[in-house]
Amino acid sequence: MSVESSNAPNFLSNQIREEISNGQTQHIVTRFPPEPNGFLHIGHAKSIWVNFSLAEQFGGRCHLRFDDTNPAKEEEQFVQSIQQDIQWLGYRWSGEVRYASQYFDQLYEWAIHLVKQGLAYVDDLSAEQMREYRGTLTEPGRPSPYRERSVEENLDLLERMATGEFGEGEKVLRARIDMASPNINLRDPVLYRIRHAHHHQTGDKWKIYPSYDFAHGQSDAIEGITHSICTLEFEDHRPLYNWMLEHLPVPARPRQIEFARMNVNYTVTSKRKLRLLVEKGIVNGWDDPRMPTISGLRRRGYTPASLRHFCEMTGVARSANVVDIAMLYSAIRSDLEENAPRAMCVLNPLKVVLTNVAEDHEEQIEAAGHPAREDMGTRILPLARELYIDADDFMEEPPKKFFRLAPGKEVRLRNAYVIKCDEVVKNDDGSIKELRCSVDFDTLGANPEGRKVKGVIHWVSAEHGVPVEVRNYDNLFTVEAPDKFKDEQEFLANLNPESLSVTEGIGEPSLRDAQPEDHFQFERVGYFCADRFDHGDNGKLVFNRTVSLKDGWAKAQKKAAQAGQQG
RNA sequence: UGGGGUAUAGCCAAGUGGUAAGGCACCGGUUUCUGGUACCGGCAUUCACAGGUUCGAAUCCUGUUACCCCAGCCA
């Protein structure tokens, strides 16, 4: 199955197509505007996909612009990690990386312009006072006592704010719009605030920094953005976005369009909660394979194509949504089913002795790298007298329809022979020590005579197998909507204690050649990815479970158990 | 309660007056040296609800309900 884009229609592409057909739009320019104050997560991936794929679809361009108007919260490390994540996802922005901070000079000029028009004023109210004056959802606000300052005084004060004469919080520049507007965002929003902070791009040049509302639309206009796509919570800001463009001599008139942000169940994307998980040591950093960050997903073994496909399959609309994480699993499985080479790895070893194989016997079996892809070549599977199979693949007293190994039963060793279990050898405590089996030598690449062996199990030669560390990952939360908990304790009470379990397994020898970030399907088990950082350290082989294979047998067993309980 | 939005299956989602796409999940079956994959079939007589217009309504009109967002000098 292909995981590449088929450009399913959505309300954004429909609208742009219509604009192009009626001549309203000639070309399109979009932008992805992250604030460099944290790591990108799966929700950002959606926004990246929306902006880049729309531009691509209509032969336009997409810019990367850091929305860096708040030096108190931003860091250079994030401007680096964000660029890496975008590139890893497979996107290249048009031109150089841009920063809203590049436009600070222009923005400041425009602030002066507004003041001169009588459309902005310097306010001395404290933050608390401003809140009181703003009114409530149902009551109009009241004008600040400083609202009627003269243009001259405002100009003077603004300049002195900019030169650092006042302390943080002493004054702000506000737009003069309407303190009684039913839209609270229009009740004289703050345009500039004083911050005596070092900025990662502009250093110590500025003492005042523009607010989002004063920077975003103008930055879009400067860059010639045609479609400024953002999430629904900015809808109430659109009148303000347009107000700025109407009252300023901007070079272009971009339009803001909102879409619903994507949520995924069994995970969180709130920055505060993500940070809490890292700081409390619940996960091992921002790129822990359980994190929904792009770097975490990457380390877990998600591929760029699978993430793009996931974005596409979940669509773009305006209704609040919570996507089932099963869709994410589906996206990565379909990519890896096609593109991951196969290997065998025993996670829970049970020794098997092949009694009719000589002590010194050793043979090399050639197996396909992928059952449907000759281009993936072959690998060698050594076979000798002793081997390991997974303990789950043997049952002393099997239920009906158990197609694996059991006393007196036959099973096929994947890519090799059919064997029969002749004897179960036990330890003193009654646990199983090993299985003694006999090989049917006529079954290599051939079906046995006169009977059908339905089961196929994976195995690894005891002498040749290589030890591997396998990290099995699962959802971080046991509840569908962990984001709904506001209280920290309540939130943390829903962590999945089994989100990580590490086991020592035995892999086929070819796994020794695996490079960090190589993907594999461990046959009959799941998809795994050699850890980006730990794999290969001191010769240790470390594999992360990206996602398990679907398990029809487990599902049937579970259903049978439930039916048994009820009946 | 003021303003702004959204309601189509368990979850996403197309559909814009002509008789409910697709995907995920789920349920059957076929194939299979992965209980995987692939393939075949099933899964909304109805689109939040109630009226109305129309030959015909998820789409238009009226009303109602539910849910989401907004009272940072965050974005």
Side-chain angles (χ1 to χ4, degrees):
Chain A
M1 175 184 175
S2 168
V3 293
E4 279 312 317
S5 160
S6 62
N7 290 331
N10 59 59
F11 81 98
L12 290 171
S13 63
N14 286 162
Q15 179 177 326
I16 293 171
R17 195 171 300 111
E18 192 179 320
E19 290 169 7
I20 289 172
S21 74
N22 68 23
Q24 188 187 344
T25 291
Q26 270 70 242
H27 65 111
I28 85 159
V29 185
T30 59
R31 103 267 90 117
F32 174 60
E35 182 185 19
N37 69 345
F39 285 80
L40 259 26
H41 55 63
I42 185 79
H44 293 111
K46 183 61 170 273
S47 175
I48 291 167
W49 173 81
V50 166
N51 281 290
F52 279 91
S53 70
L54 233 29
E56 185 177 293
Q57 190 175 159
F58 292 100
R61 307 194 311 268
C62 182
H63 295 180
L64 167 61
R65 180 176 74 237
F66 285 102
D67 220 337
D68 56 347
T69 58
N70 189 352
K73 296 191 169 181
E74 299 155 8
E75 293 173 34
E76 175 65 21
Q77 75 163 115
F78 297 128
V79 340
Q80 296 308 324
S81 75
I82 287 170
Q83 291 180 58
Q84 257 189 31
D85 287 346
I86 297 169
Q87 289 177 319
W88 177 77
L89 274 175
Y91 294 109
R92 302 289 108 102
W93 48 88
S94 171
E96 297 295 305
V97 174
R98 294 150 214 260
Y99 299 84
S101 56
Q102 290 176 271
Y103 315 133
F104 282 177
D105 286 313
Q106 176 66 267
L107 258 13
Y108 184 67
E109 269 181 45
W110 281 337
I112 290 170
H113 178 89
L114 285 184
V115 170
K116 286 181 175 167
Q117 304 291 307
L119 293 173
Y121 62 98
V122 173
D123 197 344
D124 296 2
L125 252 28
S126 69
E128 304 81 80
Q129 289 172 315
M130 258 184 76
R131 194 182 321 123
E132 285 162 27
Y133 275 84
R134 187 153 37 228
T136 68
L137 294 180
T138 51
E139 306 156 26
R142 318 176 331 255
S144 161
Y146 304 98
R147 198 174 198 258
E148 302 304 329
R149 287 216 256 230
S150 69
V151 169
E152 291 67 32
E153 188 182 3
N154 282 140
L155 250 17
D156 174 59
L157 258 14
L158 175 59
E159 188 184 338
R160 288 160 63 192
M161 280 169 65
T163 54
E165 190 173 327
F166 306 114
E168 293 192 5
E170 277 183 37
K171 288 181 167 47
V172 291
L173 181 72
R174 289 230 255 174
R176 201 161 180 273
I177 304 180
D178 178 8
M179 285 308 291
S181 172
N183 180 346
I184 291 185
N185 296 117
L186 260 21
R187 320 240 262 228
D188 291 11
V190 169
L191 267 25
Y192 267 100
R193 69 293 213 204
I194 298 170
R195 287 278 179 280
H196 292 179
H198 183 81
H199 188 283
H200 52 100
Q201 300 300 320
T202 61
D204 298 312
K205 176 177 180 184
W206 295 92
K207 305 299 176 201
I208 58 173
Y209 290 91
S211 63
Y212 166 87
D213 288 309
F214 192 64
H216 205 97
Q218 289 91 307
S219 299
D220 285 340
I222 290 168
E223 294 183 10
I225 301 299
T226 55
H227 301 261
S228 182
I229 298 160
C230 63
T231 44
L232 248 28
E233 66 268 29
F234 290 99
E235 194 152 20
D236 289 341
H237 291 247
R238 194 170 63 219
L240 191 48
Y241 183 100
N242 291 332
W243 187 91
M244 300 293 169
L245 301 178
E246 275 158 26
H247 295 278
L248 258 12
V250 292
R253 284 299 297 269
R255 275 177 312 127
Q256 173 180 310
I257 310 173
E258 312 83 16
F259 74 100
R261 68 160 4 104
M262 177 181 70
N263 302 290
V264 180
N265 64 187
Y266 294 102
T267 193
V268 295
T269 47
S270 114
K271 214 158 258 177
R272 187 191 129 244
K273 292 195 170 93
L274 255 16
R275 193 182 315 113
L276 191 71
L277 295 171
V278 172
E279 285 171 358
K280 288 231 164 204
I282 291 159
V283 296
N284 302 311
W286 290 92
D287 59 2
D288 185 291
R290 291 166 291 181
M291 291 285 272
T293 50
I294 296 193
S295 52
L297 292 163
R298 172 180 182 176
R299 199 167 168 195
R300 173 82 165 256
Y302 280 85
T303 58
S306 72
L307 260 16
R308 283 185 247 123
H309 182 223
F310 172 66
C311 289
E312 165 141 14
M313 69 198 277
T314 51
V316 187
R318 285 173 63 87
S319 56
N321 63 83
V322 184
V323 171
D324 192 335
I325 197 164
M327 277 214 226
L328 225 204
Y329 299 154
S330 167
I332 187 59
R333 282 192 186 113
S334 69
D335 185 357
L336 265 17
E337 159 60 27
E338 184 179 333
N339 299 309
R342 310 289 129 122
M344 290 197 285
C345 184
V346 173
L347 266 38
N348 185 196
L350 171 60
K351 185 183 264 186
V352 170
V353 178
L354 302 177
T355 53
N356 58 345
V357 167
E359 301 268 359
D360 61 352
H361 177 84
E362 178 177 329
E363 73 178 279
Q364 314 291 326
I365 295 172
E366 189 173 47
H370 182 116
R373 287 252 245 136
E374 280 193 24
D375 61 302
M376 286 197 183
T378 59
R379 70 198 133 114
I380 297 299
L381 303 170
L383 178 77
R385 191 165 201 260
E386 295 190 346
L387 53 86
Y388 290 108
I389 66 169
D390 244 310
D392 292 349
D393 288 333
F394 173 79
M395 279 185 100
E396 266 193 290
E397 293 169 32
K400 54 266 149 220
K401 291 199 174 171
F402 182 77
F403 303 135
R404 283 112 94 151
L405 202 56
K409 295 283 189 68
E410 285 185 300
V411 78
R412 172 174 295 278
L413 294 179
R414 171 81 174 154
N415 291 121
Y417 302 92
V418 168
I419 61 170
K420 180 176 182 182
C421 177
D422 304 311
E423 189 186 347
V424 180
V425 182
K426 300 203 172 172
N427 295 305
D428 294 342
D429 66 357
S431 59
I432 300 174
K433 181 183 178 207
E434 64 182 37
L435 266 23
R436 299 180 77 79
C437 302
S438 49
V439 174
D440 179 343
F441 291 104
D442 296 328
T443 55
L444 185 62
N447 286 127
E449 293 290 319
R451 68 221 130 100
K452 224 179 185 162
V453 174
K454 183 153 175 147
V456 179
I457 64 174
H458 52 103
W459 58 279
V460 172
S461 164
E463 183 191 339
H464 309 271
V466 296
V468 299
E469 175 177 319
V470 172
R471 299 173 179 172
N472 289 302
Y473 292 104
D474 202 346
N475 293 344
L476 245 186
F477 297 93
T478 56
V479 293
E480 277 205 44
D483 243 341
K484 78 180 174 193
F485 298 108
K486 297 284 171 265
D487 175 72
E488 187 176 312
Q489 288 316 311
E490 207 179 351
F491 167 65
L492 296 175
N494 291 288
L495 283 163
N496 177 9
E498 289 161 13
S499 63
L500 169 61
S501 72
V502 180
T503 72
E504 296 297 325
I506 302 168
E508 65 171 71
S510 72
L511 250 18
R512 226 183 322 242
D513 301 327
Q515 299 301 305
E517 298 204 273
D518 277 354
H519 303 273
F520 296 92
Q521 181 194 100
F522 288 172
E523 288 189 286
R524 302 209 315 127
V525 181
Y527 294 101
F528 292 78
C529 179
D531 191 80
R532 189 180 166 196
F533 303 117
D534 301 340
H535 184 266
D537 270 11
N538 307 315
K540 196 173 177 190
L541 309 181
V542 181
F543 294 93
N544 298 327
R545 184 174 71 190
T546 308
V547 67
S548 66
L549 244 36
K550 283 202 252 178
D551 190 345
W553 171 247
K555 191 188 282 184
Q557 290 303 100
K558 202 172 151 189
K559 227 164 51 177
Q562 279 171 358
Q565 242 170 27
Q566 284 165 4

